[in-house]
Amino acid sequence: MKTLHGQFFFAAAMGVSLLLTGCNKPAGSSAGGEDTIKVGEFASLTGSEATFGQSSHKGTQLAIDELNANGGVLGKKIQLITEDNQSQAGQSSTAVRKLISSDNVVAVLGEVASSRSLEAAPICQQNKIPMISPSSTNPKVTEVGDYIFRVCFIDPFQGTVMANFGRKTLKMNSAAILSDVKSDYSVGLAKFFKEGFLANGGTIIAEQKYSGGDKDFNAQLTAIKAANPDGIFVPGYYTEVGLIALQARQLGITVPLFGGDGWESASLVQIGGAALEGDYYSTHFSPEDTSLAVQFFVKHFKEKYGETPDAMAALGYDSAMILADAMKRAGATDGAKVRDALAATKGFHAVSGNITIDANRNASKPAVILQIKDGAFKYVETIAP
Ligand code: PHE
């Protein structure tokens, strides 16, 4: 099995220009025909979770560029065809139908948000087109069927990690939960956190809800303040979490807020600012990781984009690399063969950690806890499954 290290060293030896020349074709282009392997991607490039899709896409594109610079896969270059779902419900199914029926992609990469992966997965499954979600953590995603994979951990693990962290590390006896009823991710993570916190002898003294897109959280936060918890678990996405933090501090709530990977965006701190200082969240990757694989990835990502990669970027990269590895081992691009090869993935050295695909097509991987300090995300600890 080819390891990332090999690819990194090769790319490093060939110099930076190799990475920058790339083989990008414009999104949606069908140029290249049979000489290329077409891979589809659906992502939230615009809208309320724009940074998720953009980061994930940048990681995916970097992987494709590196693969193509190394000769591609099965003697062909990979052509990535990307569709924007605008962070909106209903758009992912349209995007994936188009990728499969008009573009004839052999596999689909996406999405970050679990609800949007859940929307697209039945279409991939029906068409026997392997789909790899880089970072959707809700368990239901891969339950859709045997063509649906992911390269990240799932929320029963993430919820337990944050329940233990709140209870044992932050020594909270009680917690409140403020979750997004519109998001499968948020509903699931709230449930798994609650189970873990209760199992550890903690008490959940308030459970409040909002709907993604809401801007005013004062009613929920006032109720939470009255319950006087030791901490507030907010399993949401960055746009709402930033506003929730601001409004919580304005109401005089001083206890820590904590959450999951949905917090991960530079925009979180732009929205929430100092209100988030000292708060914690769990995610998949830290660019501060000193391992060679991570440092090469961070270096190449910075060279290409002029910014530091986040978890979505790392997982987007890994999703494309896992697909390429499976196609190489399958010796073919047809759906059933790639599906079988993906299912057989073992110990693949990915930037987000080693990936072995289990019987449920999930990856069991460590979680990383980060703290917001001086407006930046600082590494706290790694929790193994
Ligand atoms: N895990 C989140 C979901 O399933 C998405 C996400 C992944 C957000 C990684 C940020 C970082 O919806």
Side-chain angles (χ1 to χ4, degrees):
M1 182 180 306
K2 186 164 189 180
T3 69
L4 263 190
H5 296 276
Q7 286 152 5
F8 283 131
F9 286 131
F10 178 78
M14 294 294 286
V16 174
S17 59
L18 180 96
L19 291 167
L20 297 177
T21 53
C23 292
N24 294 0
K25 295 225 170 68
S29 156
S30 60
E34 290 162 10
D35 299 337
T36 63
I37 294 173
K38 290 184 189 170
V39 171
E41 181 195 26
F42 67 112
S44 55
L45 298 175
T46 56
S48 53
E49 283 91 52
T51 73
F52 287 173
Q54 288 167 9
S55 272
S56 192
H57 170 69
K58 284 176 185 166
T60 304
Q61 186 68 61
L62 176 63
I64 304 277
D65 290 352
E66 287 183 9
L67 287 161
N68 285 341
N70 282 279
V73 172
L74 307 175
K76 291 183 180 180
K77 297 277 158 82
I78 301 174
Q79 182 190 348
L80 184 67
I81 304 175
T82 306
E83 291 292 323
D84 177 18
N85 57 31
Q86 302 160 292
S87 306
Q88 278 178 24
Q91 295 297 320
S92 295
S93 44
T94 310
V96 165
R97 275 200 191 94
K98 181 233 169 217
L99 287 169
I100 295 175
S101 353
S102 321
D103 297 318
N104 297 316
V105 299
V106 299
V108 169
L109 302 175
E111 224 253 27
V112 172
S114 291
S115 295
R116 293 192 285 269
S117 289
L118 280 164
E119 191 186 309
I123 298 161
C124 293
Q125 178 67 29
Q126 235 168 14
N127 288 281
K128 297 193 173 10
I129 295 292
M131 170 178 141
I132 308 175
S133 166
S135 49
S136 287
T137 47
N138 186 280
K140 290 183 290 183
V141 172
T142 46
E143 287 167 12
V144 168
D146 61 350
Y147 278 79
I148 316 300
F149 295 83
R150 78 180 103 214
V151 294
C152 57
F153 56 64
I154 57 174
D155 286 332
F157 170 64
Q158 178 166 223
T160 307
V161 164
M162 287 318 275
N164 289 345
F165 185 73
R167 189 77 185 100
K168 295 178 184 162
T169 308
L170 301 181
K171 312 252 181 285
M172 293 171 182
N173 291 317
S174 64
I177 302 174
L178 179 52
S179 57
D180 176 355
V181 287
K182 270 214 226 156
S183 152
D184 291 286
Y185 159 75
S186 191
V187 170
L189 188 54
K191 169 178 176 277
F192 300 121
F193 168 81
K194 180 179 176 180
E195 287 169 7
F197 202 76
L198 294 177
N200 269 316
T203 318
I204 301 295
I205 50 174
E207 287 178 75
Q208 290 287 323
K209 301 187 188 319
Y210 64 92
S211 290
D214 284 357
K215 303 224 163 357
D216 181 353
F217 305 90
N218 277 288
Q220 296 93 323
L221 289 167
T222 301
I224 288 174
K225 188 181 178 193
N228 195 25
D230 295 331
I232 308 173
F233 187 66
V234 192
Y237 292 150
Y238 63 92
T239 303
E240 286 83 11
V241 173
L243 293 172
I244 288 166
L246 272 180
Q247 292 170 24
R249 301 311 174 213
Q250 277 158 7
L251 281 172
I253 295 174
T254 55
V255 295
L257 305 190
F258 59 131
D261 53 357
W263 284 36
E264 178 124 334
S265 170
S267 297
L268 174 75
V269 181
Q270 281 157 19
I271 299 166
L276 289 153
E277 258 324 275
D279 290 345
Y280 298 91
Y281 70 95
S282 50
T283 187
H284 309 257
F285 161 89
S286 165
E288 291 180 78
D289 186 332
T290 54
S291 78
L292 217 49
V294 170
Q295 286 313 312
F296 268 111
F297 171 68
V298 170
K299 178 176 180 287
H300 293 155
F301 194 93
K302 277 187 179 161
E303 282 165 0
K304 186 170 168 70
Y305 301 112
E307 63 190 63
T308 303
D310 57 16
M312 280 82 53
L315 289 164
Y317 181 93
D318 288 345
S319 68
M321 285 301 188
I322 284 271
L323 175 64
D325 175 67
M327 290 193 293
K328 284 179 199 166
R329 281 185 290 110
T333 58
D334 79 87
K337 288 192 179 133
V338 174
R339 192 219 78 85
D340 288 347
L342 277 171
T345 303
K346 282 195 180 58
F348 183 87
H349 296 290
V351 276
S352 62
N354 284 2
I355 296 175
T356 294
I357 297 295
D358 68 19
N360 301 314
R361 296 168 301 285
N362 301 320
S364 169
K365 317 238 301 287
V368 172
I369 296 180
L370 304 182
Q371 183 177 31
I372 300 160
K373 267 195 183 157
D374 301 322
F377 302 143
K378 292 284 165 211
Y379 175 80
V380 177
E381 59 178 324
T382 300
I383 314 281

